[in-house]
C-alpha cells in the first residue's frame, strides 16, 4: 500500500467519523437512538439493509469459500434474499404493526417475561460473536494488504472498531442508517472497480471455465460440503435470519409505516441478488489465477495487492471497509437495543428517565464493542464462513420455530412449550456439531435440520402437556396485527398480507408457485440432475423476485 492509498484511507476514516458523529444532536429520546424515530423512507431503509447484509464476510469470507468449494456458495446470499422478500411481504408487516424494538419484546407479548430474558441474554452474546467474525475479516484483509504480519492483527482490529464504536455510541440509529447509505455507495463503487480487473486477469468467464475443476461450477451439486442439502439448510436459515435477526429487523422497525417496511425489504432482497456476483465470481477468478493460496480468507486481499494499481487501490479499500463498518455499527446498535429494552428497562422497578436510558444504551454499546474484539480472536481460529455457519446452525433455527412458526401461526403454544422447544433445539444443534457429527464435513447442515426438527417436535409436545392460559390483551393485539390498522386505512397506505384484488391474488399465486418449483429444483440436484436443477432453480428464483416486486403494486 503506497502513500497515496494511505492518504485516501485516512481521509475516508476521518470523514466517516465526523459524518457519523454529527447525528449526536438528533438523539432526543430512546426511540431516536434505537429505531431512528421510525422515520426512515424506503430508499434509505433499503440502502441501510443492503449495507448491513453485504459486508467483508461477503467480500472476503464468501469469496474465499467460492475459491475453496465452488459457485454453489452463491446460494448463501441468493436464498437469504429470497427469504428477505418473503419476510418483507408476509411476516415483518405483522411485527411492525406491533411497534416493537426487538424479537425478545415480541416473545414477552406472546409467551411472558422469562422467555424475553432468556433469548435477549443469549442473543446479546450471539450478536457479539457475529461482530467478532466481521471484525476478523477486516483485520485479516488489512494484514494481507499491508504485509504487516500476524503480530499486527490486534492493532488493525482496534483501528477498525474504535471509529465505528464512537459514532454509533454518539448518533445511534440515525448515524447507522445514514452512514450505511454512504457506505453502500462506496462499497458498490469499490466492487465495480475491482471486478473487471480480477476477471480480466483470469481470462473472463471462459478462462474460469477452462481452469477450474468441473465440480466448482456446479450450481446445485449432488455431493460435497455445499451440496443440495446445504442449499435447503441455508434457505431455512435465511428465513430465520429475515424474520428474527435483530440487526436486520431493527432497520425494518425504523421504517415510517408498514408499506415502507415491505417495500424496503423487497427492494433490498432483489437488488442484492445480482450484486452477489461481484464477490462470488472474483473468488472463482482467483482460483483460476492462483490455485495455491492456502488460507481462503486471504484470497481476495492477495488479489487486491497483485492487480489493483495505486490510487484505485485506496478507493477499493475504502469500499471494503465501508462494507465492514456498516455491519459493525448496525449490529452494535442492535445489541445495545437488546440489552436496554429487554433487560435494563424490564428489571428496573421504576421506569428510568429518557436521559438515563440513553446513557445506559451508550455505555452498553462500548461494552459490546469490547466483546466484539475478544470474539474476533476466537473467530480467527475457525475462519469466517465456518464460524458463522456454526453459530447460526446451533442458535438461530430454534428461535425461528418458537417465535415465528408457533409464535405467530399457532395460538395454542404455551410458554412451557416455547421454552422447551428453544432450549432443546439449541442443545441438539450444539450436540450435533461438537459430538454426534463433529468430524462430518456437513456438520453445520446436519445441525440446522436437527435443531429445527427438535424445536418443531418438542414445542407442541410440551404445549400439550402444559396448562393453557386465557388469551390476554397482548395476544389479542398480535392477532389484530395481521390486518391493516385503522391509521393505515385512514392514511390510504394500508398493506394487506394477501391482496384483495384479482391481479394481486394472481401475483401471490405465481410467487408461491415459483417458490415450490425452486425447492423441487434443489431436490432434483440431489438426485443427480445437476444441469436441469441449475436452470430451473435460477429461472424460478427470477420469477419469484419479479412476482414479489409486482406484489407491492397491488392490494
Amino acid at each position: 500500500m503506497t502513500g497515496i492509498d494511505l492518504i485516501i484511507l485516512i481521509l475516508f476514516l476521518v470523514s466517516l467519523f465526523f459524518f457519523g458523529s454529527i447525528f449526536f444532536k438528533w438523539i432526543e429520546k430512546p426511540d431516536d437512538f434505537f429505531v431512528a424515530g421510525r422515520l426512515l423512507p424506503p430508499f434509505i431503509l433499503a440502502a441501510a439493509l443492503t449495507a448491513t447484509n453485504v459486508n467483508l464476510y461477503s467480500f472476503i469470507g464468501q469469496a474465499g469459500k467460492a475459491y475453496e468449494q465452488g459457485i454453489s456458495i452463491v446460494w448463501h446470499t441468493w436464498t437469504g434474499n429470497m427469504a428477505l422478500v418473503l419476510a418483507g411481504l408476509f411476516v415483518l408487516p405483522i411485527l411492525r404493526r406491533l411497534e416493537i424494538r426487538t424479537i425478545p419484546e415480541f416473545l414477552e407479548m406472546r409467551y411472558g417475561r422469562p422467555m424475553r430474558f432468556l433469548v435477549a441474554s443469549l442473543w446479546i452474546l450471539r450478536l457479539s460473536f457475529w461482530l467478532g467474525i466481521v471484525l476478523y475479516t477486516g483485520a485479516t484483509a488489512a494484514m494481507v494488504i499491508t504485509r504487516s504480519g500476524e503480530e499486527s492483527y490486534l492493532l488493525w482490529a482496534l483501528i477498525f472498531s474504535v471509529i465505528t464504536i464512537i459514532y454509533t455510541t454518539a448518533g445511534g440509529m440515525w448515524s447507522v442508517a445514514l452512514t450505511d447509505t454512504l457506505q453502500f455507495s462506496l462499497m458498490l463503487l469499490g466492487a465495480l472497480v475491482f471486478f473487471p480487473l480480477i476477471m480480466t486477469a483470469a481470462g473472463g468467464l471462459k478462462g474460469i471455465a477452462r481452469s477450474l475443476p468441473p465440480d466448482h461450477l456446479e450450481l446445485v451439486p449432488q455431493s460435497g460440503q455445499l451440496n443440495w442439502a446445504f442449499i435447503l439448510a441455508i434457505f431455512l436459515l435465511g428465513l430465520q435470519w429475515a424474520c428474527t435477526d435483530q440487526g436486520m429487523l431493527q432497520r425494518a422497525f425504523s421504517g415510517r409505516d408498514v408499506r415502507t417496511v415491505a417495500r424496503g425489504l423487497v427492494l433490498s432482497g432483489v437488488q442484492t441478488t445480482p450484486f452477489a456476483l461481484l464477490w462470488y465470481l472474483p473468488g472463482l477468478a482467483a482460483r483460476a489465477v492462483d490455485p495455491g493460496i492456502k488460507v481462503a480468507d486471504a484470497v481476495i486481499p492477495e488479489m487486491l495487492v497483485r492487480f489493483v494499481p495505486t490510487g484505485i487501490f485506496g478507493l477499493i479499500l475504502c469500499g471494503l471497509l465501508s462494507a465492514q463498518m456498516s455491519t459493525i455499527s448496525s449490529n452494535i446498535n442492535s445489541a445495545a437495543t437488546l440489552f436496554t429494552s429487554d433487560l435494563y428497562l424490564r428489571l428496573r422497578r421504576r421506569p428510568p428517565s429518557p436521559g438515563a436510558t440513553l446513557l445506559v444504551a451508550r455505555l452498553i454499546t462500548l461494552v459490546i464493542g469490547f466483546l466484539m474484539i475478544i470474539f474476533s480472536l476466537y473467530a480467527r481460529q475457525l475462519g469466517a464462513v465456518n464460524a458463522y455457519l456454526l453459530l447460526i446452525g446451533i442458535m438461530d433455527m430454534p428461535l425461528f420455530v418458537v417465535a415465528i412458526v408457533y409464535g405467530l401461526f399457532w395460538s395454542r403454544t404455551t410458554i412451557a412449550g416455547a421454552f422447551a422447544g428453544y432450549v432443546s433445539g439449541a442443545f441438539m444443534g450444539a450436540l450435533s456439531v461438537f459430538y454426534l457429527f463433529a468430524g462430518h464435513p456437513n456438520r453445520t447442515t446436519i445441525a440446522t435440520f436437527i435443531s429445527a426438527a427438535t424445536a418443531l417436535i418438542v414445542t407442541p409436545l410440551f404445549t400439550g402437556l402444559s396448562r393453557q392460559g386465557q388469551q390476554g390483551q397482548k395476544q389479542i393485539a398480535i392477532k389484530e396485527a395481521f390486518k391493516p390498522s385503522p391509521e393505515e386505512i385512514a392514511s390510504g397506505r394500508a398493506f394487506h398480507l394477501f391482496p384483495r384484488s384479482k391481479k394481486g391474488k394472481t401475483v401471490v399465486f405465481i410467487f408461491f408457485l415459483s417458490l415450490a418449483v425452486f425447492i423441487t429444483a434443489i431436490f432434483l440436484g440431489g438426485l443427480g440432475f445437476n444441469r436441469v436443477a441449475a436452470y430451473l432453480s435460477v429461472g424460478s428464483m427470477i420469477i419469484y423476485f419479479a412476482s414479489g416486486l409486482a406484489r407491492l403494486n397491488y392490494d
Side-chain angles (χ1 to χ4, degrees):
M1 187 165 66
T2 65
I4 295 176
D5 297 318
L6 187 60
I7 290 172
I8 293 173
L9 179 60
I10 291 173
L11 287 175
F12 163 72
L13 292 174
V14 172
S15 301
L16 188 65
F17 172 79
F18 282 106
F19 180 70
S21 300
I22 60 175
F23 298 105
F24 178 83
K25 298 178 181 179
W26 292 31
I27 307 300
E28 298 179 356
K29 58 184 185 294
D31 257 12
D32 294 333
F33 187 88
F34 297 130
V35 288
R38 304 188 192 273
L39 294 173
L40 294 185
F43 171 75
I44 292 180
L45 177 60
L49 284 167
T50 304
T52 299
N53 300 330
V54 179
N55 47 63
L56 279 191
Y57 172 75
S58 305
F59 286 105
I60 303 298
Q62 292 184 20
K65 205 68 175 177
Y67 174 95
E68 188 178 64
Q69 298 286 339
I71 189 59
S72 61
I73 185 63
V74 73
W75 292 113
H76 193 332
T77 298
W78 283 356
T79 56
N81 293 341
M82 293 174 70
L84 200 61
V85 173
L86 185 65
L89 293 176
F90 298 103
V91 177
L92 268 295
I94 302 170
L95 299 179
R96 175 61 180 84
R97 287 186 182 117
L98 296 174
E99 295 191 348
I100 58 176
R101 294 174 180 167
T102 68
I103 283 294
E105 184 178 351
F106 167 73
L107 290 174
E108 181 180 6
M109 292 181 68
R110 180 63 181 81
Y111 298 119
R113 186 172 296 184
M115 199 68 189
R116 181 177 188 172
F117 287 166
L118 171 68
V119 174
S121 301
L122 291 175
W123 267 65
I124 289 170
L125 293 175
R126 181 243 188 263
L127 280 174
S128 300
F129 188 76
W130 162 235
L131 285 165
I133 295 171
V134 177
L135 182 59
Y136 151 75
T137 60
T140 299
M143 285 192 315
V144 176
I145 289 169
T146 60
R147 308 296 196 196
S148 53
E150 295 286 329
E151 63 277 2
S152 66
Y153 175 85
L154 186 58
L155 174 63
W156 285 112
L158 289 171
I159 290 173
F160 294 152
S161 57
V162 167
I163 292 175
T164 314
I165 290 169
I166 290 175
Y167 77 68
T168 304
T169 303
M173 179 54 73
W174 277 115
S175 288
V176 170
L178 296 177
T179 54
D180 277 1
T181 305
L182 171 65
Q183 289 166 333
F184 169 68
S185 303
L186 286 172
M187 173 183 64
L188 181 58
L189 178 62
L192 288 172
V193 171
F194 175 61
F195 184 80
L197 296 174
I198 185 64
M199 292 299 290
T200 301
L205 292 175
K206 292 182 178 178
I208 293 174
R210 285 194 304 267
S211 304
L212 267 58
D215 60 343
H216 260 58
L217 300 176
E218 288 184 1
L219 202 57
V220 187
Q222 186 178 17
S223 59
Q225 185 179 0
L226 305 179
N227 62 1
W228 65 276
F230 164 82
I231 298 171
L232 290 177
I234 206 67
F235 179 63
L236 289 176
L237 289 169
L239 283 175
Q240 167 278 318
W241 161 77
C243 294
T244 63
D245 181 77
Q246 181 63 28
M248 194 278 300
L249 292 185
Q250 202 161 329
R251 267 119 224 90
F253 295 155
S254 302
R256 61 177 54 164
D257 57 30
V258 172
R259 184 169 288 276
T260 297
V261 169
R263 187 172 295 274
L265 266 72
V266 171
L267 289 176
S268 179
V270 172
Q271 72 188 10
T272 310
T273 300
F275 291 167
L277 298 176
L278 294 177
W279 57 87
Y280 288 114
L281 286 180
L284 297 177
R287 178 67 179 252
V289 171
D290 183 357
I293 300 176
K294 296 181 179 179
V295 180
D297 292 331
V299 169
I300 295 302
E302 182 65 34
M303 294 297 107
L304 287 170
V305 172
R306 291 190 194 182
F307 297 111
V308 178
T310 300
I312 296 178
F313 183 83
L315 179 65
I316 292 177
L317 191 58
C318 290
L320 289 175
L321 290 181
S322 295
Q324 183 214 29
M325 297 174 80
S326 62
T327 300
I328 290 177
S329 63
S330 62
N331 281 278
I332 287 179
N333 183 255
S334 299
T337 303
L338 281 171
F339 178 87
T340 307
S341 298
D342 297 315
L343 298 179
Y344 171 70
L345 292 177
R346 306 305 295 175
L347 291 173
R348 285 183 60 100
R349 293 183 178 179
R350 296 180 180 178
S353 66
T357 303
L358 284 173
L359 177 62
V360 170
R362 288 177 166 134
L363 288 174
I364 198 64
T365 299
L366 297 175
V367 174
I368 297 298
F370 174 76
L371 289 175
M372 169 183 68
I373 296 171
I374 299 300
F375 281 127
S376 73
L377 301 175
Y378 179 66
R380 191 180 180 192
Q381 301 174 18
L382 295 174
V385 175
N386 290 336
Y388 178 65
L389 293 178
L390 179 70
L391 177 69
I392 61 177
I394 294 173
M395 291 191 63
D396 291 10
M397 283 309 299
L399 178 62
F400 173 70
V401 170
V402 301
I404 305 301
V405 176
Y406 289 130
L408 282 179
F409 301 109
W410 195 43
S411 59
R412 291 190 58 201
T413 312
T414 63
I415 184 173
F419 183 88
Y422 181 75
V423 172
S424 62
F427 173 77
M428 287 303 299
L431 189 66
S432 301
V433 167
F434 295 112
Y435 181 69
L436 296 177
F437 302 96
H440 199 287
N442 294 328
R443 60 176 182 165
T444 304
T445 298
I446 296 171
T448 298
F449 289 123
I450 289 178
S451 63
T454 302
L456 282 168
I457 294 169
V458 170
T459 301
L461 181 63
F462 273 75
T463 293
L465 296 174
S466 56
R467 185 177 179 181
Q468 294 284 334
Q470 291 186 346
Q471 284 194 334
Q473 290 299 316
K474 291 182 177 179
Q475 289 178 311
I476 294 173
I478 293 172
K479 282 188 174 182
E480 291 297 315
F482 280 74
K483 301 178 293 185
S485 66
E487 291 79 11
E488 285 180 64
I489 296 172
S491 67
R493 292 181 58 81
F495 184 85
H496 295 83
L497 297 183
F498 290 92
R500 295 170 299 171
S501 68
K502 190 172 182 179
K503 288 184 178 179
K505 291 176 181 178
T506 302
V507 167
V508 169
F509 174 77
I510 295 172
F511 178 84
F512 282 108
L513 178 62
S514 61
L515 177 60
V517 172
F518 170 79
I519 294 172
T520 302
I522 303 305
F523 278 109
L524 287 174
L527 295 174
F529 300 99
N530 305 99
R531 187 179 293 273
V532 173
Y535 284 116
L536 199 58
S537 60
V538 173
S540 58
M541 179 185 71
I542 293 172
I543 296 172
Y544 175 93
F545 284 132
S547 56
L549 275 173
R551 160 65 187 92
L552 296 173
N553 298 318
Y554 300 103
D555 201 55

